[in-house]
Every structure is written in C-alpha cells, then in structure tokens.
Amino acid sequence: MARQTDAIATNEQLTGQYDEYLMPIWKDLHVPVERASGCTLEDFEGNEYLDLFSGIAVTNVGHGDDAVVEAAKAQLDEFVHGCTYVHPHEPAAELAERLAEITPGDLQKSFFCNSGTEAVEGAIKLARKYTGSKEVVALEMGFHGRTLGSLALTGNNAYKADMAPTINDVAHTPAPYRYRSPSREADDETFVERTGADLERVIGTHTADDLAAIVVEPVMGEGGIIVPPTGYLRRLKEIAREHGALLIVDEVQSGYGRTGKLFASDHYDAVPDILTQAKGIANGLPLGAFTAPAEIANAFESGDHLSTFGGNPVACAAALATIDRLEEAVLANAREQGAWLGDELATLEDEYDVVGDARGLGLMRGLEFVDPDAGTGPAGVAPEPDAEFAKHVGKRLRERGIVAGVGGYYKNVLRVQPPLSIDREQLERGVAGIRESIDAELEDDR
C-alpha cells in the first residue's frame, strides 16, 4: 500500500490509519485529537470537547501549559539525550533533589525510568535486593502495569488473558472496596482490622515466609476509584514490618496533585518505603520514577538496574516546571474544585438509584453505576454492577462534547479525572452533562 503523504483532514482518516498500521490497542477510539489546550480537546473536524480524563490522569496542570512547554523547549535547545546513567546532567540532578523535598517522610533517592510500569518493576527489584526475599503481595482489583512482571501484580484477569506473568511469587489480598465489602457498615477502625486480617491470612496461606514487599495503590484508579480509610496504609506497613518486608505505594495515577495533595500518601499516616511515580510527573512527557530512603536505595549496586532513556533531560525539565505550577496555584485549585465536585457527585448518588456510590479524593472521582432492580451483586451487599449503563453514559457524554473515563473492576464506574487546572464553569458543564446523560439513558430504558 502506498504511503499516505497528505495531512490528515478528518477523524475518519486518522482512525483508518490506526486500523491499518497500529496493533489493536484499544477497542474504541474515543476522540481523535488534533490539538489540545487547558481542559479542551479539538478533533480534526473542529469539534471541541471538555476533557474530564486528562489522558488517564496525566496532563495534571492542563494541556499545553505554557511554563511546562517553555521548559521543555529550552532544554531541547541545549541537548536532548545523554543517558542519565552514563552522562550526569543537571535536569535529572535537580529533579531528584526536588523529589527528595516533596515526597513523604525520608524518601531521598530516585531512579528515573520512562513509565509507571517500569517504576513498579524497578521498585520490586529494589525491594528484593534490600530484603533478600522474593515474594510480593498485591491487591485484588489493583493495577500496576501491563508488562509481564507488573502484570503479575495486577489483580484483574481481564488484563491477564492469554498472558503468562513471569513473576510467580505473587499473592493477592482483598481490596479495601468498602462499597462491596461485607464490612461496609463497620467503622473505620474495624474495617481496617478486618482488611488487615485478610492480608495476614493471605500471607499465612499463600506465601512461603519469604515476603519482600506489599504493593498498594493509595487510591485505586483502574479498580474503580477505591479510597481506603485513613488507618489502612499504616496497618499494611505494620504487617509488612512484621514479615521483614517493605511497603511499596504506587502513586503512578494518584500522585502529582490528583487527590488534592501532592501525593495521595499525604492523606494517610504512613510513609511508604518505596514510592512509584509517573503519569502526571511531567504533564505528558514520558517519565517515571521510584523513590526510597537512602538506606534502601543504596541496596542497588552499579549495574543492578539501568534505563537508556530514563531521566531524559527534556522530560526532567518539564517535570520541574510541572511541580512549580502545582505548587504555585494548581494544587490549591484541585483542592477547591475537588471538594465542590465531590459534593455534586454525592448529590447524584442521593438522587439516582442507578448511582450506587460516589467516591474519591480531590479531582480523582468515580460514580459507580448499578442496576437497582437486579438484586445484590458480588458479596451480596450492594446492587448488581451495571457496566452497560456506565458505557452508555460515557458515550452520551461524548455526544455532548465531554470526555470521561469508564472503568473499574466491573467496568461500571464513570471516572472523572480532569486536568487540575479546570475551573468551576467547566466543572459545572461536566456535572450537567453527566446528569443529562443519566436522564437520557434512563428515558431510553423505560
């Protein structure tokens, strides 16, 4: 087939190229994008969309933020690549020092890579090297990446079909999914005690007393925006210590202001032993990192772990500018708008039987859709999940010029994770669109 040389002019042309030349990476191309600015996407036919998903929680300070773009451009004029682990350069050094300042507790030394998946895999290697143990416990319904190692940690067989994860020493413990837990009515202390008992049972029955790490998302993104109670991370760290293991907190999706604080860990009273980062770290440029206290980090010896492109100077420059923007104003806006959004989504839960649960922190929010007439679903404590309803609401939103995510373990959660720079008028439009989409779907169901 002859190479197409003309510029893309329509959405159909772009999707045709995807079908012809890209491997099947997504079941449904949502909104083709020619350009983006702030919280707005524009397709190849001039249609504009309000972005309530940020490329899966990535463009946290907004698409095309001037300060981030200028920082990246300035570094492009200096040099593009030197391999951080062969040629030391200032952007990586400055960013590593900055991460030591902004991450929780005594986390000090970072390793730079290109993605969240790589950060998780590197963190596991570091935990194994430091502890001398091999086994890992992760959460059911958790998500940590799609390479073979990180996929072994991911607690969802929908991502694992036809694959063979290479890390065999992994066990899974129940997620703190309160809405569908038999302990949903318990107070926080009791709920934490019971989830901790589940973890101890899993360690006792599914491991060989060789535990290197417990891996957890402080807010579970792909699992359906699941927020644990305050004492949860502290209890997990206590259990990890009892078994000579480390607590790895995966902040790939929840970090960089997404929950209203720089890291979701900051909402809790436990400092991770290793913290993984990516997505929002450089506002769209590929960069990941994992950070640990010096004692743990120094377990790595030269050559134990390397990355050719990790810590790319252009991406590091963008990350430094992103952190500046978050601290200047964007983080405060995320807290303000997130609180308002939480109240509005809670109102939808009160008004609609099909909205089983509204939950989240900051601008990491989810609406779980259910079928109130189908009886109880998993664990027998909440209505049956309604994935079709959620899918149709997402489609109706796109028809109204609004992009949001649909996911969760049962694929029934509308995920609202806009750029943290979003203003109240834009959020009001988004909530109105959600309400209209629910009403339209209910009307069609009658």
Side-chain angles (χ1 to χ4, degrees):
M1 183 176 181
R3 181 176 181 271
Q4 179 177 323
T5 56
D6 295 336
I8 294 172
T10 67
N11 296 334
E12 186 177 359
Q13 283 179 291
L14 177 65
T15 56
Q17 281 186 305
Y18 261 61
D19 289 341
E20 188 76 14
Y21 299 111
L22 272 73
M23 294 184 188
I25 53 176
W26 196 252
K27 295 178 181 178
D28 177 29
L29 285 171
H30 293 286
V31 174
V33 177
E34 183 176 22
R35 60 181 59 87
S37 178
C39 297
T40 302
L41 308 173
E42 184 178 330
D43 68 16
F44 289 84
E45 296 164 9
N47 302 303
E48 290 191 350
Y49 297 83
L50 175 64
D51 184 8
L52 296 184
F53 204 31
S54 312
I56 315 184
V58 170
T59 52
N60 283 8
V61 300
H63 294 282
D65 179 84
D66 288 343
V68 176
V69 171
E70 287 305 314
K73 285 181 176 178
Q75 182 56 45
L76 280 168
D77 288 338
E78 298 298 326
F79 63 98
V80 175
H81 172 74
C83 186
T84 302
Y85 305 104
V86 175
H87 301 294
H89 56 75
E90 185 176 5
E94 291 293 324
L95 180 58
E97 183 174 356
R98 195 71 177 277
L99 295 187
E101 295 169 354
I102 67 171
T103 51
D106 59 350
L107 302 180
Q108 179 182 340
K109 292 191 173 185
S110 294
F111 185 99
F112 292 121
C113 48
N114 306 286
S115 67
T117 297
E118 293 175 62
V120 169
E121 294 221 6
I124 295 299
K125 286 180 67 175
L126 178 58
R128 285 179 158 189
K129 185 71 186 292
Y130 178 76
T131 63
S133 299
K134 295 294 185 290
E135 295 177 309
V136 180
V137 174
L139 298 186
E140 295 173 353
M141 304 183 190
F143 182 84
H144 300 285
R146 294 176 186 260
T147 57
L148 292 179
S150 60
L151 192 60
L153 305 176
T154 293
N156 186 339
N157 66 6
Y159 297 116
K160 298 186 179 190
D162 302 320
M163 303 297 170
T166 56
I167 297 179
N168 296 317
D169 298 323
V170 177
H172 289 87
T173 191
Y177 191 0
R178 191 166 201 146
Y179 179 63
R180 295 196 177 276
S181 168
S183 300
R184 62 181 293 180
E185 302 299 335
D187 58 46
D188 283 357
E189 183 177 354
T190 302
F191 185 84
V192 168
E193 286 177 0
R194 291 176 181 173
T195 53
D198 285 336
L199 173 58
E200 290 177 314
R201 173 184 54 78
V202 167
I203 293 172
T205 58
H206 292 274
T207 73
D209 198 25
D210 190 36
L211 192 64
I214 297 169
V215 184
V216 59
E217 299 164 84
V219 177
M220 299 174 70
E222 302 298 316
I225 318 298
I226 297 171
V227 184
T230 303
Y232 180 73
L233 286 185
R234 184 181 69 247
R235 183 66 187 126
L236 262 58
K237 188 170 182 178
E238 290 171 353
I239 294 172
R241 285 293 182 273
E242 291 167 6
H243 293 272
L246 302 182
L247 178 66
I248 299 174
V249 176
D250 182 345
E251 293 261 19
V252 168
Q253 188 167 155
S254 59
Y256 291 91
R258 176 55 50 191
T259 65
K261 292 182 180 288
L262 268 174
F263 297 97
S265 302
D266 294 331
H267 292 279
Y268 300 95
D269 51 357
V271 175
D273 293 308
I274 307 175
L275 185 145
T276 67
Q277 308 141 67
K279 288 192 181 289
I281 189 173
N283 207 49
L285 274 75
L287 183 64
F290 56 98
T291 306
E295 179 186 348
I296 295 173
N298 289 340
F300 265 171
E301 300 174 88
S302 178
D304 278 345
H305 199 53
L306 287 172
S307 172
T308 299
F309 294 105
N312 173 272
V314 179
C316 287
L320 285 163
T322 297
I323 294 167
D324 285 344
R325 292 286 291 118
L326 285 167
E327 292 182 333
E328 286 166 6
V330 175
L331 194 58
N333 186 68
R335 286 193 289 270
E336 179 183 350
Q337 306 306 338
W340 181 87
L341 179 61
D343 289 342
E344 292 296 307
L345 297 184
T347 298
L348 296 181
E349 179 188 340
D350 291 339
E351 293 181 5
Y352 293 96
D353 289 343
V354 292
V355 179
D357 195 30
R359 54 182 179 256
L361 288 173
L363 287 172
M364 190 174 183
R365 299 281 172 177
L367 281 181
E368 177 159 356
F369 289 107
V370 299
D371 184 345
D373 300 320
T376 56
V381 294
E384 186 72 26
D386 198 335
E388 281 300 305
F389 195 96
K391 178 181 177 181
H392 293 160
V393 168
K395 181 179 179 181
R396 291 182 185 279
L397 280 170
R398 291 195 297 277
E399 292 169 351
R400 287 167 170 75
I402 300 170
V403 176
V406 176
Y409 179 76
Y410 300 105
K411 299 180 173 58
N412 68 324
V413 177
L414 184 73
R415 295 168 58 184
V416 184
Q417 298 169 266
L420 308 182
S421 56
I422 195 167
D423 62 33
R424 181 63 53 82
E425 183 178 351
Q426 291 170 317
L427 267 185
E428 288 173 347
R429 177 189 164 196
V431 172
I434 294 170
R435 182 184 295 277
E436 292 168 6
S437 298
I438 294 173
D439 287 338
E441 188 59 24
L442 288 172
E443 184 65 29
D444 272 6
D445 284 347
R446 290 196 180 107

